[in-house]
Amino acid sequence: MKNLPIEILDAVDHTLAKPTRIHPLDTANGRPFWIKREDELSSGISGSKLRKYASLIPYLKKKGVEHVAMIGGPNSNNLVGLAQLLRENDISQTAFVREAADAQLRGNALLLDMLLNEDEIRFITRGQWQAVETTARTYLDNLPIQKTHLLCEGCFGIEGLPGAMTLAADILRNEEESNLYFERIYIDCGTGLSALGLILGLACLSSSARPKREIVVTLIAESEEGFLQKLKKLTPSLAQEYGLELNIRDHIRFIKPQLSPKFGSINKSLFEECRKIAQNTGLIMDPTYSVKHYHAATNDLSLNSIKKPSLFIFNGAALGVMGFQDKLSP
Ligand SMILES: *Cc1c(COP(=O)(O)O)cnc(C)c1O
C-alpha cells in the first residue's frame, strides 16, 4: 500500500501533519545515517506532538468538545503544545500542573505561563499529584458546560494514533524521493504513542517484497515491558476502530539512554553533548529527549553497524533548550 488507509487519513488534519524532509548526517565512520526533521513541523510545538494533535484536535472538534482539562509536569512539552492549538481552535482549557521544584519561571513553565491566564492553570502539590486525574475529572463535572474532555498526561490514547501514523507514510515518501530504503529507524519514546504510531503505520504500509526493518526505540520515559503492553493493547483497538488488518512485520529492538538516563534528569555530560551535537551537526536539540536519543542511537550504530542506511527521527524542537540556558553556557 502506498498510503495509509482512507479511514486513517480521514481522521487527520493534513495541514498539521505536514511532510518533513530528511538529510544525511555526517558520521565520521562513513555509515549512511539520515535524520528526519520532525522538529521543522512547528516553530513552537515539539514535532512528534504535532502529529498526534493532527488527529486529536479533529477528534475533539468532531465531538463538539468545548472545554479540555490537561495534565502534566511544569516542564511538559505536551501542555505547551496543546495550549497553543486549543487556543487556536477556540476550545477553552484548564491545565493541571504539578508544582515545580524550581520557583523560577523558565523554559516550558515560562511558555505555559505566557500562553494561559491565571484561571486556566491549577497547580497541584506533589503530595496531591497522585489524585490529579480525579481532581481534574471533578473539576470538569462541576463546570456549567456539557461537552468536556480529560486528556491524561502525555496525551496517550487512540485519538492521537492516526496522526502519529502519518510519520510512517511520510518516511515512505522520503524514501521514494531520495531512492533509499531505511532498514533501521531510531525513534525516541515518552509515552510511546509516537513510536507505536510509526510501527502501526508501517504495518499498514509495508510490503513483503522489501526487507524487514528494524525499529530501534530509545526508552526515554517508558520501559520495554510497558511499551510492549501498550502495543498489545492498542493494536486490536486500532484494528477494530478503523476496520484494519494489522500485520507487524518489522523487528522492534529497545535501547536505553546512557546520558543521565533517568527521565527528566540532567547532568554536565548531557549539556556537553548538546553543545557537541550543535557544533558537529548544526542541530539544536532539546536535552530532555533528543540529546539522549541521539547519543544512544549513534552509540548503537557504532556497536551494531549496518551497511544499509539508517534513519534518526528528530522529534524534538530547538525551543527545548530554553529552560537550560544557564546550564548550557560554558
Ligand atoms: C513528547 C516527546 C516525545 C515522546 O513522545 P511519545 O509519543 O509520548 O512517546 C519524544 N520526543 C520529544 C522531543 C518529545 O517532545
Side-chain angles (χ1 to χ4, degrees):
M1 193 177 272
K2 264 257 160 88
N3 209 336
L4 294 167
I6 189 77
E7 296 82 359
I8 297 293
L9 292 175
D10 278 350
V12 176
D13 177 347
H14 296 277
T15 66
L16 292 178
K18 289 171 295 196
T20 62
R21 68 191 173 116
I22 56 169
H23 60 78
L25 280 174
D26 191 21
T27 56
N29 41 38
R31 279 176 279 266
F33 189 48
W34 291 62
I35 183 165
K36 183 149 177 71
R37 299 296 301 272
E38 293 289 283
D39 61 309
E40 292 180 344
L41 274 169
S42 162
S43 60
I45 302 176
S46 162
S48 62
K49 303 283 183 300
L50 201 76
R51 287 205 190 270
K52 297 190 228 179
Y53 303 155
S55 56
L56 177 64
I57 295 286
Y59 168 86
L60 295 173
K61 291 214 287 203
K62 201 170 151 193
K63 289 215 133 191
V65 170
E66 293 169 77
H67 193 97
V68 163
M70 54 190 189
I71 293 172
N75 299 310
S76 162
N77 285 336
N78 185 42
L79 292 185
V80 170
L82 272 172
Q84 294 171 58
L85 276 185
L86 290 171
R87 188 74 89 222
E88 178 184 322
N89 287 281
D90 207 18
I91 299 171
S92 62
Q93 53 188 315
T94 309
F96 291 82
V97 184
R98 193 173 61 244
E99 216 164 47
D102 180 0
Q104 210 186 330
L105 272 184
R106 64 175 107 211
N108 281 337
L110 172 63
L111 294 175
L112 197 65
D113 185 73
M114 289 172 65
L115 288 160
L116 300 184
N117 66 45
E118 265 174 59
D119 306 335
E120 292 170 319
I121 304 188
R122 303 278 142 124
F123 288 102
I124 307 289
T125 61
R126 289 175 172 257
Q128 294 184 320
W129 186 245
Q130 257 192 328
V132 65
E133 279 195 25
T134 318
T135 310
R137 167 67 50 212
T138 310
Y139 174 83
L140 286 180
D141 288 345
N142 287 317
L143 284 179
I145 301 174
Q146 288 294 316
K147 299 263 171 81
T148 61
H149 190 84
L150 175 62
L151 289 170
C152 64
E153 200 170 357
C155 263
F156 188 86
I158 199 167
E159 299 80 18
L161 206 48
M165 289 167 78
T166 62
L167 172 62
D170 203 45
I171 292 173
L172 262 66
R173 178 191 62 81
N174 291 138
E175 287 180 330
E176 195 171 313
E177 285 177 13
S178 302
N179 197 22
L180 282 164
Y181 185 76
F182 295 112
E183 287 202 13
R184 184 182 290 168
I185 301 174
Y186 290 97
I187 186 164
D188 53 349
C189 161
T191 65
L193 197 75
S194 305
L196 291 167
L198 173 64
I199 290 164
L200 293 168
L202 288 173
C204 294
L205 293 163
S206 290
S207 134
S208 52
R210 305 303 295 266
K212 285 186 186 182
R213 301 179 198 259
E214 183 179 45
I215 311 298
V216 184
V217 179
T218 306
L219 297 164
I220 306 286
E222 180 53 287
S223 66
E224 178 171 341
E225 302 73 48
F227 185 91
L228 290 172
Q229 254 173 30
K230 286 173 173 173
L231 179 64
K232 211 169 140 187
K233 237 179 110 178
L234 224 51
T235 308
S237 315
L238 182 77
Q240 196 183 11
E241 177 87 18
Y242 294 98
L244 308 176
E245 212 168 297
L246 293 164
N247 192 357
I248 297 171
R249 295 182 68 241
D250 302 317
H251 178 65
I252 307 169
R253 181 158 65 82
F254 296 92
I255 57 175
K256 288 185 178 154
Q258 290 124 347
L259 272 179
S260 200
K262 189 167 170 279
F263 179 58
S265 73
I266 49 172
N267 63 24
K268 195 156 166 263
S269 4
L270 181 65
F271 296 118
E272 281 166 5
E273 180 72 11
C274 187
R275 292 179 59 93
K276 201 171 102 192
I277 293 169
Q279 299 211 340
N280 292 343
T281 67
L283 294 158
I284 297 176
M285 287 192 175
D286 54 287
T288 311
Y289 282 98
S290 303
V291 173
K292 294 181 183 184
H293 176 42
Y294 186 83
H295 181 263
T298 47
N299 197 42
D300 180 77
L301 191 64
S302 60
L303 292 173
N304 300 296
S305 180
I306 53 165
K307 293 208 178 76
K308 300 283 170 50
S310 305
L311 181 67
F312 176 87
I313 311 290
F314 179 15
N315 270 330
L319 262 189
V321 299
M322 237 189 89
F324 305 109
Q325 289 185 33
D326 48 342
K327 308 227 169 42
L328 279 164
S329 38

